[in-house]
Amino acid sequence: MKTRAAIESALVQENAVLRARLADAEETLRAIRTGEADALMIGEQVYTLKGAETPYRTLIETINEGAATLSPDGTVLYANRRLADMLRTELGKIIGAPMQHFVSSADLSDFEALLTQGQQGATKGLFTFLCDDASVVPVQLSFHALDWQEAGGVCAVISDLTEQQKSEALLRSSEANYRTLVENIPQRLFIKDRNCRFVSVNQNFARDLNTSPEAIVGKTVADFFPKDLADKYHADDQRVMATGETEEFEEKYIAGNQERWVHTVKTPVWNDHGTIIGLCGIFDDITERKRADELLHKSELRYRELVNHLDAGVVIHAPDTSVIAWNSRALELLGLSAGQIKGRLSTDPGWIFIHEDHTPLLSQEYPVNRIIAEKNPIKDLCLGIVRPGNQDITWVNVNGVPIFDKQGKINEAIVSFADVTKRKQSAEMVLKLNAELEQRVQERTAQLTMANQELEAFSYSVSHDLRAPLRAVDGFSRMIEEDYAERLDDEGRRMLEVIRAETHRMGRLIDDLLAFSRLGRQQTEPEPIDMRSLAQEVYDELVAKEPPDRKLKLDLQPLPVVEGTRAMIRQVWVNLIGNAIKFTKGREVGEIEITAEPGEDGVPVFRIKDNGAGFDMRFADKLFGVFQRLHSPEEFPGTGVGLALVQRIVHRHGGRIWALSEVGQGASFYFTLPNPDS
Amino acid sequence: MLEKAAAERKTQRFVLRLYIAGLTPRSTLAIRNIRKICDEYLQGRFDLEVIDIYQQPVLAEGEQILAAPTLVKKLPLPLRRFIGDMSDTERILIGMDLQPI
């Protein structure tokens, strides 16, 4: 049996618990009564004592999605304004209508299926809605079972996909555009991931490697290129992705099994968080350009070396005459440094040039100015350069050309000049020597002339002075012959004859000598001479002097007209024809032939041929000497001066005279009288 | 003994559950008031859970909630319950033994 205390304490405790529970219950009732609690939970149902719909309603009305509740058969029990806007229909026409009304016929069965599914849980689908104005709206329907008032049905969220679809289309077309670009540019494109594996490549790249883009994706450069190239590419990739810096290279490449040069740009690819997730690259084949560049470089080097090693100075001027290029020889010849010549204009007072006659060149005569003004090349212009601080003149032979651009305007003027100082000095030396020589020659000539004159005067006076006593001897011997002939015996008379003959001979000798010496003092009076008529005239004259029983035949061919002093040429014919007549005395018929043939340089060679005694060719050189006779006076009379005189006359006319003969076969005498005009 | 109890109270962690009924006026008020009380008097030593009886009816049933809003003090013991919009701060504080001394 419990003690009283225990029972008491238990009762007190129970009391407290009951009191607490009562307090709670009273508290609850109080709250309900005062309205401090505004919702009751009975079973699982909540009953609100004050409406709390407004915030939810506002929410549903303002969201950007269409919202509706549908009964199990699809009738719209509620729709928000957005749905009305989306369907371009009045709200009143939507609520109460079956949603099927707005579903395109193609989608109807799917809609029914979705509706059924939606009542069991949650489901989504894509549909095309038809508006009352016949326009279409692509939508996403999201159904959720609505367990309310035991009526079933669904809550529907309707999302307008129009914008999204537009964006997608735009994106796709934009993508298509990019793809077109990527596939059609001549460059090769690629994208690699962080591990340097190809993610995307364009057709051109794939073609280089004789494969398709698909075969490249997922692989690395090591699968397509030799080790050294692949390593280089890989290292570049790594570096670009590590530093985040875009890089450009000119590098080797292999396309279609050929080694090529390419210009590559590699740039890192970032994601939205700023992390580098890969690399993209674009490269261009520059092999041809590089080859052309190399050839150009070689050519340029060649020409540069050529110009630098030329013995001539070369200076290139811009159209404004400023110097834009030069070689080292130019600096030497001009006495300038590179700094002084660079950019120098032709107006610079530092240029000092002189003509060959040492007069200074005027500005417009400077080679560069002439080339630019005349637009023509300059050839072989000789001028002197007066170098700064230098007395000596550097003589140069200048050549220059203008260089035109495609429009025909002058782009550059190139002037080259070779050092001819030594040559010029030699030439000047030669001139000087010549002058000296000329001087000496003149002096000598003067001396000789004087000597000649003295000699001629002497010959003349001697001949003249000799005549007087000769005349006396001749006169007196004639007188003796006339007056004292009967007092002499035959021998005496014979001796007197001899004296007379010899006197006459002496007279003829003196005459000939006189004539010979006179020739030197005679002036030449050139006139055209008809040689044929002259020769005929002389022949007739001489034949008249011969005894009538002398048989002579002349064959005179046409002879040209020549320039000469008539009297002198006459003398030539007199002597030559005279000789021919003389030396054919022994023949039955003396035959004389006179012809003319064109000789060297068209100069006529006259020939007089006889069938006379002839002479020994061994003594031919003596023929024309003074007093040289190849026959005795008994054989043929003559002073021996005749041919010397003829030679002198022929030489005076600038001609030559010679003779050919055979003893007993006659002789041919040739002479030329050059036409002074030829 | 009293001092020790007082000191203990100052460091104890409170676990509270507020049951509301969606957006009813009292519910929204209750949320505001309880938050204010917790921030002022229970700084950093409370765990407050707000449960909507619409959204979680089973939980509410389990706790035997009859009316909303109801605040249940789960810790520290003893279990206490308050119904209303929690605007009577003093009553709440007394009920939770947080009466400022």
Side-chain angles (χ1 to χ4, degrees):
Chain A
M1 191 156 86
K2 288 195 185 121
T3 60
R4 186 186 170 105
I7 295 168
E8 258 186 45
S9 122
L11 275 172
V12 167
Q13 233 180 334
E14 207 181 320
N15 195 9
V17 168
L18 283 170
R19 213 191 291 277
R21 279 171 62 185
L22 184 63
D24 265 353
E26 280 182 344
E27 170 61 23
T28 308
L29 283 170
R30 182 202 64 79
I32 292 171
R33 241 202 329 273
T34 58
E36 275 193 40
D38 60 4
L40 290 179
M41 192 157 194
I42 298 168
E44 273 190 28
Q45 283 294 344
V46 178
Y47 294 87
T48 51
L49 303 176
K50 263 205 182 128
E53 283 180 16
T54 315
Y56 292 114
R57 211 167 261 286
T58 313
L59 193 66
I60 295 288
E61 284 302 323
T62 56
I63 58 174
N64 206 24
E65 307 278 43
T69 48
L70 309 180
S71 68
D73 65 356
T75 310
V76 178
L77 302 174
Y78 162 76
N80 73 348
R81 197 154 303 277
R82 180 83 181 94
L83 184 60
D85 292 341
M86 208 186 288
L87 295 177
R88 292 185 266 276
T89 314
E90 279 169 40
L91 205 52
K93 296 237 167 74
I94 301 177
I95 299 178
M99 186 167 260
Q100 285 86 335
H101 174 80
F102 298 99
V103 177
S104 69
S105 42
D107 291 340
L108 266 176
S109 53
D110 288 333
F111 179 82
E112 294 293 351
L114 199 79
L115 190 57
T116 314
Q117 258 187 302
Q119 298 192 68
Q120 311 305 322
T123 182
K124 281 190 218 190
L126 297 174
F127 293 87
T128 306
F129 271 21
L130 278 171
C131 308
D132 279 342
D133 65 356
S135 59
V136 291
V137 182
V139 296
Q140 178 182 273
L141 294 181
S142 186
F143 287 167
H144 192 286
L146 181 63
D147 204 1
W148 184 58
Q149 297 175 342
E150 274 124 30
V154 291
C155 271
V157 176
I158 303 99
S159 306
D160 188 342
L161 299 179
T162 316
E163 285 314 306
Q164 192 184 323
Q165 281 192 353
K166 261 192 218 154
S167 299
E168 274 176 14
L170 208 66
L171 190 67
R172 263 199 301 278
S173 99
S174 167
E175 254 194 46
N177 286 342
Y178 277 112
R179 191 129 286 274
T180 308
L181 184 71
V182 156
E183 289 307 328
N184 284 304
I185 51 176
Q187 283 86 350
R188 283 89 173 115
L189 255 92
F190 60 84
I191 303 179
K192 295 182 186 173
D193 64 18
R194 203 73 176 78
N195 298 313
C196 300
R197 288 191 178 276
F198 285 107
V199 167
S200 170
V201 300
N202 74 347
Q203 284 285 354
N204 283 337
F205 192 1
R207 212 172 292 130
D208 283 349
L209 304 176
N210 282 321
T211 180
S212 67
E214 294 76 39
I216 299 177
V217 169
K219 300 218 172 73
T220 66
V221 287
D223 296 310
F224 300 101
F225 295 99
K227 185 169 191 322
D228 53 349
L229 269 184
D231 285 346
K232 188 220 181 255
Y233 295 156
H234 190 81
D236 292 334
D237 292 343
Q238 293 291 339
R239 195 176 55 248
V240 168
M241 288 196 278
T243 62
E245 303 275 322
T246 302
E247 287 187 29
E248 277 183 57
F249 326 92
E250 273 190 16
E251 54 187 357
K252 271 202 248 171
Y253 176 68
I254 297 180
N257 294 317
Q258 263 194 348
E259 201 174 88
R260 312 289 289 177
W261 277 91
V262 293
H263 174 259
T264 309
V265 178
K266 285 184 178 168
T267 185
V269 176
W270 283 274
N271 67 3
D272 294 331
H273 307 295
T275 319
I276 292 177
I277 55 167
L279 163 87
C280 83
I282 178 168
F283 59 96
D284 239 331
D285 190 321
I286 55 167
T287 315
E288 291 313 318
R289 208 234 302 158
K290 220 170 160 60
R291 213 170 280 157
D293 279 350
E294 259 182 54
L295 281 173
L296 190 68
H297 183 68
K298 260 197 213 134
S299 171
E300 208 212 342
L301 211 66
R302 187 191 302 143
Y303 281 109
R304 193 172 286 276
E305 281 302 298
L306 181 73
V307 165
N308 273 325
H309 286 102
L310 275 181
D311 195 36
V314 177
V315 175
I316 304 184
H317 301 261
D320 67 353
T321 76
S322 63
V323 173
I324 53 179
W326 59 88
N327 68 350
S328 47
R329 189 93 179 97
L331 296 181
E332 267 177 53
L333 291 173
L334 291 165
L336 298 171
S337 72
Q340 289 170 316
I341 201 178
K342 183 174 160 135
R344 199 186 249 207
L345 298 168
S346 66
T347 50
D348 191 301
W351 300 119
I352 305 178
F353 302 123
I354 54 175
H355 289 287
E356 288 195 71
D357 61 3
H358 292 244
T359 57
L361 249 75
L362 303 170
S363 171
Q364 59 263 33
E365 294 173 311
Y366 287 9
V368 60
N369 286 337
R370 273 185 57 196
I371 294 172
I372 290 175
E374 296 165 21
K375 294 189 166 35
N376 267 328
I378 291 181
K379 280 208 80 62
D380 291 324
L381 173 69
C382 183
L383 46 91
I385 301 171
V386 178
R387 290 184 288 186
N390 199 324
Q391 293 283 44
D392 295 333
I393 299 166
T394 306
W395 292 99
V396 289
N397 191 42
V398 181
N399 282 289
V401 284
I403 301 287
F404 298 100
D405 65 13
K406 287 206 181 100
Q407 283 83 34
K409 280 177 43 189
I410 290 192
N411 213 10
E412 286 175 357
I414 302 181
V415 180
S416 73
F417 41 100
D419 186 359
V420 296
T421 314
K422 285 218 176 56
R423 195 185 353 135
K424 193 139 176 74
Q425 282 170 350
S426 307
E428 276 178 4
M429 184 71 65
V430 163
L431 278 172
K432 202 160 77 123
L433 286 171
N434 269 357
E436 278 174 28
L437 206 67
E438 195 59 43
Q439 181 80 339
R440 268 193 244 144
V441 162
Q442 274 180 8
E443 283 169 20
R444 196 63 58 83
T445 307
Q447 285 173 357
L448 280 170
T449 309
M450 217 166 64
N452 257 4
Q453 283 172 348
E454 282 173 7
L455 204 63
E456 282 184 14
F458 175 75
S459 311
Y460 182 79
S461 69
V462 159
S463 311
H464 199 266
D465 291 346
L466 281 174
R467 273 196 156 259
L470 198 63
R471 263 203 304 276
V473 169
D474 184 50
F476 279 108
S477 62
R478 187 162 44 81
M479 280 199 291
I480 292 175
E481 202 183 48
E482 284 173 3
D483 296 341
Y484 295 91
E486 66 278 3
R487 285 195 231 195
L488 289 169
D489 62 356
D490 290 329
E491 185 63 19
R493 277 195 291 272
R494 192 186 63 79
M495 281 194 262
L496 204 58
E497 282 289 327
V498 170
I499 291 171
R500 300 265 346 265
E502 290 299 306
T503 310
H504 289 152
R505 191 162 83 87
M506 193 165 175
R508 281 196 297 278
L509 206 59
I510 292 171
D511 284 342
D512 282 349
L513 263 173
L514 261 177
F516 185 74
S517 76
R518 208 180 289 139
L519 185 67
R521 276 180 275 124
Q522 266 179 343
Q523 294 281 60
T524 55
E525 288 164 3
E527 60 178 290
I529 304 169
D530 179 359
M531 291 293 260
R532 191 168 200 269
S533 64
L534 181 61
Q536 183 70 62
E537 189 189 301
V538 167
Y539 176 78
D540 293 339
E541 227 178 72
L542 292 175
V543 159
K545 290 207 184 111
E546 289 295 307
D549 60 346
R550 191 73 212 277
K551 291 198 181 62
L552 285 163
K553 185 163 108 79
L554 172 66
D555 179 7
L556 179 57
Q557 297 289 329
L559 303 177
V561 170
V562 295
E563 283 263 321
T565 308
R566 194 178 177 78
M568 292 186 190
I569 300 299
R570 191 173 210 286
Q571 187 63 51
V572 168
W573 285 123
V574 163
N575 281 12
L576 288 178
I577 296 174
N579 276 356
I581 292 173
K582 187 164 38 174
F583 285 94
T584 53
K585 236 192 178 101
R587 304 291 182 206
E588 176 83 30
V589 178
E591 287 170 14
I592 302 172
E593 195 187 302
I594 301 179
T595 59
E597 301 276 340
E600 275 177 28
D601 301 331
V603 172
V605 179
F606 297 93
R607 180 177 117 180
I608 172 163
K609 179 173 192 282
D610 66 58
N611 66 343
F615 57 85
D616 190 337
M617 278 300 289
R618 279 185 293 168
F619 306 111
D621 51 333
K622 288 202 161 70
L623 260 180
F624 298 98
V626 179
F627 298 135
Q628 297 287 351
R629 297 199 80 238
L630 300 186
H631 300 274
S632 67
E634 289 80 32
E635 285 176 286
F636 298 100
T639 57
V641 183
L643 282 178
L645 189 62
V646 166
Q647 188 190 53
R648 209 165 188 222
I649 293 171
V650 168
H651 282 181
R652 199 92 191 275
H653 283 75
R656 295 187 304 127
I657 181 162
W658 67 98
L660 295 173
S661 178
E662 260 188 67
V663 175
Q665 300 291 333
S668 286
F669 281 80
Y670 301 85
F671 66 95
T672 62
L673 290 174
N675 195 336
D677 291 337
S678 69
Chain B
M1 189 64 177
L2 215 63
E3 290 80 26
K4 187 166 169 239
E8 265 182 14
R9 255 178 285 157
K10 283 228 171 70
T11 57
Q12 272 174 336
R13 193 161 190 88
F14 280 69
V15 175
L16 307 168
R17 275 219 188 132
L18 178 66
Y19 290 88
I20 53 143
L23 293 168
T24 68
R26 299 289 173 210
S27 294
T28 50
L29 252 177
I31 292 170
R32 269 214 301 278
N33 289 333
I34 274 298
R35 275 235 82 92
K36 210 156 60 168
I37 292 169
C38 286
D39 287 340
E40 259 185 65
Y41 299 95
L42 292 176
Q43 255 172 30
R45 52 186 181 112
F46 68 93
D47 287 321
L48 175 67
E49 241 184 286
V50 176
I51 296 164
D52 186 336
I53 62 176
Y54 278 113
Q55 286 181 331
Q56 301 184 74
V58 175
L59 213 60
E61 240 194 321
E63 199 84 62
Q64 292 188 347
I65 304 298
L66 178 58
T70 300
L71 176 71
V72 176
K73 174 171 80 76
K74 303 209 80 143
L75 284 175
L77 294 170
L79 206 74
R80 290 300 312 270
R81 220 175 255 258
F82 308 89
I83 304 178
D85 59 7
M86 317 293 154
S87 49
D88 194 344
T89 311
E90 207 163 311
R91 190 166 74 86
I92 305 288
L93 287 177
I94 294 169
M96 295 215 280
D97 295 322
L98 287 173
Q99 176 74 332
I101 297 164

